[in-house]
Amino acid sequence: AAADRVMIQDMLARYAWEIDHGTPEGFAAVFSEDGVFEVVALKLRVEGTRDIIAFAKDLQRTMPNLHHVMSNFAINISGDRASGRCELNEFMALPDAIYPNVQGWYEDEYVFDGERWRIQHRRNFFAPSAAGAVGPLAEYSAAFMEACAKYQHA
């Protein structure tokens, strides 16, 4: 069980590294083929490898210089399935300063595919005070919000 926890935390570190500095394909590789990524407050839902790659391309194109920081991992493992929660703090480097962009948490479901742990379903929740960008963050994230329209569901 300890090895599984380490493997899951490593996978989550790869998640952050790939979306911040890596490739859309590397980001999608931490998800199962039928993986789901949701941002609950935005009613955003991305499902499957192809759409996760497209979403990552949109995010990296419209909001470069993001930095995801995850902490306080709580992981429950049962065979080849697991669930977990962790805190999320996201920062954005703009020309004038580094801004806190998102404060919230992830709720996850993981699956072991025989080789490695992958995210099967990741839900992102914002803290109530972090649910809306203002000032330079609102201006900077406008293109991202526009790109997200194709992933939003009622």
Side-chain angles (χ1 to χ4, degrees):
D4 289 314
R5 287 180 198 288
V6 170
M7 290 171 64
I8 290 169
Q9 284 188 277
D10 177 71
M11 179 259 307
L12 295 173
R14 286 185 285 113
Y15 166 96
W17 182 262
E18 289 295 340
I19 198 62
D20 293 346
H21 309 287
T23 66
E25 294 78 13
F27 178 70
V30 302
F31 288 85
S32 61
E33 288 183 16
D34 61 347
V36 176
F37 174 76
E38 288 186 83
V39 180
V40 175
L42 301 179
K43 294 182 173 45
L44 181 145
R45 181 181 173 97
V46 184
E47 189 167 350
T49 301
R50 188 191 68 202
D51 286 348
I52 289 172
I53 290 170
F55 172 78
K57 286 179 180 178
D58 285 338
L59 179 64
Q60 290 176 339
R61 175 180 54 80
T62 60
M63 293 184 71
N65 304 315
L66 286 182
H67 185 72
H68 290 73
V69 179
M70 292 176 281
S71 61
N72 301 332
F73 299 93
I75 300 168
N76 300 302
I77 299 168
S78 179
D80 65 352
R81 302 234 172 239
S83 61
R85 292 184 312 268
C86 66
E87 301 273 351
L88 168 66
N89 290 285
E90 182 183 282
F91 299 91
M92 184 182 304
L94 297 181
D96 63 324
I98 296 173
Y99 292 91
N101 185 44
V102 169
Q103 195 282 318
W105 67 95
Y106 290 119
E107 294 181 5
D108 299 330
E109 297 168 25
Y110 314 116
V111 62
F112 188 75
D113 66 5
E115 182 179 319
R116 62 175 40 170
W117 285 95
R118 297 185 191 274
I119 298 170
Q120 187 167 46
H121 198 148
R122 171 157 264 199
R123 293 172 188 88
N124 174 241
F125 296 89
F126 297 156
S129 62
V134 295
L137 292 178
E139 294 170 26
Y140 194 75
S141 62
F144 171 69
M145 296 306 293
E146 185 176 311
C148 283
K150 63 185 155 205
Y151 308 109
Q152 291 174 322
H153 304 280

